[in-house]
Amino acid sequence: MAEVIRMPKMSDTMVEGVIANWLKKEGDVIKSGDIIAEVETDKATMELENYEDGTLLYIGVKVGEAVPVDGIIAIVGTPGEDYSSLLADAPAAAVAAVEASPAPAVATTPAAPTVDLSSIPAKAVRMPKMSDTMVEGVIAKWLKQVGDVVKSGDIIAEVETDKATMELENYEDGTILYIGAKEGEGVIVDGIIMVVGEPGTDFQPLLQQVAAPVASVPAAPVAVATSAPVKEAPKVAESKAASSGIQADAKGGIIKASPLAKALAKEKNINLNWLQGTGDGGRITKSDVENYQPNAGGSTGNFISGEESFEDIPNSQMRKTIARRLSESKFSAPEFYLTMEINMDKAMEARVSMNEVLPVKISFNDMVIKAVALSLVKHPKVNSYWMEDRIRVNKHVHIGMAVAVEDGLLVPVIRFASEKSIAQISAEAKELGGKAKNKQLQPKDWEGNTFTVSNLGMFGIDQFTSIINSPESCILAVGGIKETVGVKNGQFYATNIMKLTLTCDHRVVDGATGAAFLLTLKQYLEDPIKMFI
């Protein structure tokens, strides 16, 4: 699916940028991290880094032309892809962004009338928008510290977005005077991260000046709903304490622990409440975690005997995005559900035969993905997007494969699945699943799905329903294979049944359309030879 590249805000006072030089041209294949252009801001000429993988389909700005911050400058996608709808939607979004951006300045400029900010030899560095759905980033690791001299182009931190952990590039030259977020803390898009300038500079007016705009950034109702809890005073205090190795105990006091002990406890799934620190002032050390005995001190598992207790776990960026997107889907799409039983006897026999001759081991999930891909070709309406003012019927099949990870759920994508052999699908599914669990997925791995398959059969779940992955119109929930008793001509026999449930957006897919898709899918799975003819 094509993605828009917009003009980033490269300095605190930048309102537009001029394309000084294009380093890539239409038709070039680019990847995340490539420098695609040089941009002249109000401060300097800087390199523009790309965050999307694909082919440069469209360049909307010529050398020497100016683009407002957040204005469209290019489109990246798959060769031959129709991106006209993105251009049609872009002007309104750009205009809205330009019109909205001066508002905070008007509201906050009078708040600090006594200070000329332009005379302060320091600049605020803000959190950039690193993905299309990002509303805030968590500082995973600082690579620089207060007092370090940095220059434009230096990598200063690693930031956890809702999609991946990415490197944060600096655009200001000078000395780091202030760091506003500790490791593990979240910063909303355009929020202040640090201040760079001349040593000894009084940078407090910058912090006061940016406070109001930063707080008002999440203007979208959904973003406010998911971000607001992070702004509550108790939550912020808790986050800061945790990042410095201090956690609240069950009685409302604090637990002091070294960062290494904290990391090791998390790795071993040990609650710091269970430990008695031997360090200075009762601080928990690495050896305290290593020497912990599960039943010491009367603790039983995760519970404290005879004592009311709880543990607050801050939401990760992934969990926040899952909540936001699924809420959008659940409360906006009129869903209905269709369930069908599949006789898997022949599929089980076919899998045994395939695994005897193919170079990779075929799973039942691989067979489902292959059958779904072929069924979508025959029922393209199920392979569609709801786009508010139109329905986009996709002419390609990209299957999203829901994968459970520690922090939530990721959906890596098997592209052009209808054109791939089952061995190719199996190999790709294993590779993507491994990347997802190791947090190695890149934007190209999770973008563009036209249909999603969610399988809980391996957990012993017979049947369930899934929430549609917007803007898709359907999602398939796959249950486990269960041996049961069948009846034929009055005779009982043992057979194997799998239940599939299709969740449909009624705005796009009617009951008969969904049923026809499931019937085709049933035919492929109950007689797998049809998938290979």
Side-chain angles (χ1 to χ4, degrees):
M1 183 177 177
E3 299 289 345
V4 170
I5 299 177
R6 298 182 181 274
M7 176 63 71
K9 189 169 185 176
M10 295 175 164
S11 75
D12 58 326
T13 56
M14 176 178 171
V15 294
E16 69 175 15
V18 175
I19 301 297
N21 185 28
W22 278 107
L23 305 179
K24 302 290 183 180
K25 63 181 183 297
E26 290 182 2
D28 284 357
V29 176
I30 57 177
K31 58 183 180 180
S32 179
D34 284 353
I35 305 302
I36 58 174
E38 295 175 352
V39 176
E40 180 185 344
T41 72
D42 56 333
K43 303 292 177 61
T45 299
M46 301 182 178
E47 293 179 334
L48 177 62
E49 184 177 353
N50 171 54
Y51 291 110
E52 303 292 344
D53 291 350
T55 299
L56 194 55
L57 303 179
Y58 168 81
I59 291 178
V61 186
K62 297 178 181 178
V63 172
E65 291 184 346
V67 186
V69 169
D70 207 36
I72 186 170
I73 55 178
I75 293 177
V76 175
T78 304
E81 188 174 355
D82 181 12
Y83 55 82
S84 56
S85 61
L86 295 176
L87 294 177
D89 295 340
V95 170
V98 173
E99 289 178 349
S101 59
V106 172
T108 57
T109 301
T114 59
V115 179
D116 179 10
L117 296 179
S118 64
S119 65
I120 299 176
K123 300 298 177 187
V125 178
R126 298 174 182 269
M127 176 65 71
K129 188 171 185 177
M130 294 176 164
S131 76
D132 57 334
T133 56
M134 176 178 171
V135 293
E136 75 172 16
V138 171
I139 302 295
K141 183 180 181 182
W142 277 109
L143 305 178
K144 303 291 183 180
Q145 57 188 354
V146 173
D148 285 355
V149 176
V150 293
K151 59 183 180 180
S152 179
D154 284 352
I155 304 301
I156 56 175
E158 295 176 358
V159 175
E160 178 193 345
T161 73
D162 57 326
K163 301 290 182 63
T165 298
M166 309 176 81
E167 294 180 335
L168 176 63
E169 184 178 352
N170 173 52
Y171 292 110
E172 301 291 346
D173 293 346
T175 299
I176 298 179
L177 307 179
Y178 167 83
I179 287 179
K182 297 177 181 178
E183 292 182 359
E185 288 186 352
V187 182
I188 59 176
V189 170
D190 207 36
I192 187 168
I193 303 172
M194 68 180 192
V195 174
V196 175
E198 296 181 5
T201 299
D202 179 12
F203 54 81
Q204 289 303 319
L206 287 175
L207 301 182
Q208 296 166 5
Q209 187 267 342
V210 300
V214 169
S216 63
V217 168
V222 173
V224 170
T226 57
S227 298
V230 180
K231 293 300 173 186
E232 295 174 4
K235 295 284 187 177
V236 173
E238 179 182 319
S239 176
K240 290 183 178 179
S243 66
S244 60
I246 301 174
Q247 293 184 2
D249 66 14
K251 297 179 180 179
I254 60 173
I255 295 177
K256 294 184 290 184
S258 70
L260 186 56
K262 181 183 171 188
L264 188 60
K266 181 178 181 181
E267 179 183 330
K268 293 178 174 290
N269 197 27
I270 296 175
N271 189 325
L272 293 180
N273 279 296
W274 307 338
L275 304 181
Q276 181 66 47
T278 59
D280 293 340
R283 189 178 184 84
I284 296 171
T285 65
K286 175 187 175 185
S287 61
D288 294 328
V289 179
E290 291 177 332
N291 297 330
Y292 169 70
Q293 299 297 321
N295 292 323
S299 173
T300 307
N302 291 332
F303 297 90
I304 301 173
S305 178
E307 193 173 288
E308 293 184 356
S309 64
F310 61 88
E311 179 183 5
D312 286 337
I313 302 174
N315 286 327
S316 66
Q317 293 303 101
M318 184 186 301
R319 178 56 59 189
K320 291 175 185 176
T321 300
I322 289 171
R324 176 170 58 84
R325 294 197 54 149
L326 293 186
S327 294
E328 289 173 355
S329 175
K330 186 67 178 177
F331 297 115
S332 64
E335 297 178 348
F336 69 93
Y337 311 97
L338 300 171
T339 299
M340 183 172 282
E341 288 189 348
I342 310 296
N343 186 304
M344 294 294 287
D345 291 344
K346 288 186 178 180
M348 295 173 73
E349 294 174 2
R351 178 172 176 261
V352 171
S353 299
M354 286 188 286
N355 284 336
E356 289 176 353
V357 297
L358 292 177
V360 294
K361 294 299 181 183
I362 305 300
S363 69
F364 290 114
N365 197 57
D366 300 330
M367 299 178 73
V368 170
I369 291 174
K370 176 65 176 178
V372 164
L374 295 175
S375 300
L376 289 173
V377 173
K378 294 187 175 182
H379 303 277
K381 199 69 175 287
V382 179
N383 194 46
S384 300
Y385 292 157
W386 172 258
M387 307 287 287
E388 295 301 335
D389 61 338
R390 61 194 181 280
I391 294 173
R392 175 174 294 173
V393 180
N394 294 298
K395 304 294 186 179
H396 57 278
V397 176
H398 291 348
I399 302 292
M401 178 184 68
V403 176
V405 296
E406 181 180 355
D407 295 331
L409 193 70
L410 291 174
V411 186
V413 180
I414 298 177
R415 300 180 182 278
F416 304 105
S418 60
E419 303 171 23
K420 293 179 177 176
S421 69
I422 195 166
Q424 289 175 309
I425 288 174
S426 179
E428 195 168 330
K430 288 178 175 61
E431 180 185 4
L432 290 171
K435 282 185 175 182
K437 293 184 184 298
N438 296 322
K439 296 185 178 180
Q440 296 175 337
L441 290 175
Q442 296 300 308
K444 63 182 178 62
D445 296 324
W446 68 64
E447 294 174 343
N449 40 301
T450 61
F451 186 96
T452 298
V453 173
S454 180
N455 190 341
L456 292 178
M458 67 285 292
F459 297 108
I461 302 299
D462 292 336
Q463 180 183 347
F464 67 104
T465 58
S466 292
I467 300 174
I468 294 170
N469 191 10
S470 181
E472 296 173 16
S473 57
C474 294
I475 184 171
L476 185 71
V478 182
I481 299 174
K482 184 177 182 180
E483 188 174 22
T484 187
V485 176
V487 181
K488 186 174 183 181
N489 299 326
Q491 299 296 316
F492 294 101
Y493 65 98
T495 188
N496 295 276
I497 298 297
M498 179 175 70
K499 291 184 179 180
L500 304 178
T501 300
L502 184 69
T503 304
C504 305
D505 183 342
H506 217 323
R507 296 173 299 182
V508 181
V509 177
D510 297 323
T513 304
F517 167 80
L518 281 179
L519 183 59
T520 300
L521 182 58
K522 179 183 177 73
Q523 292 169 351
Y524 280 130
L525 289 173
E526 291 192 340
D527 192 4
I529 190 65
K530 293 180 179 178
M531 290 193 281
F532 310 107
I533 296 177

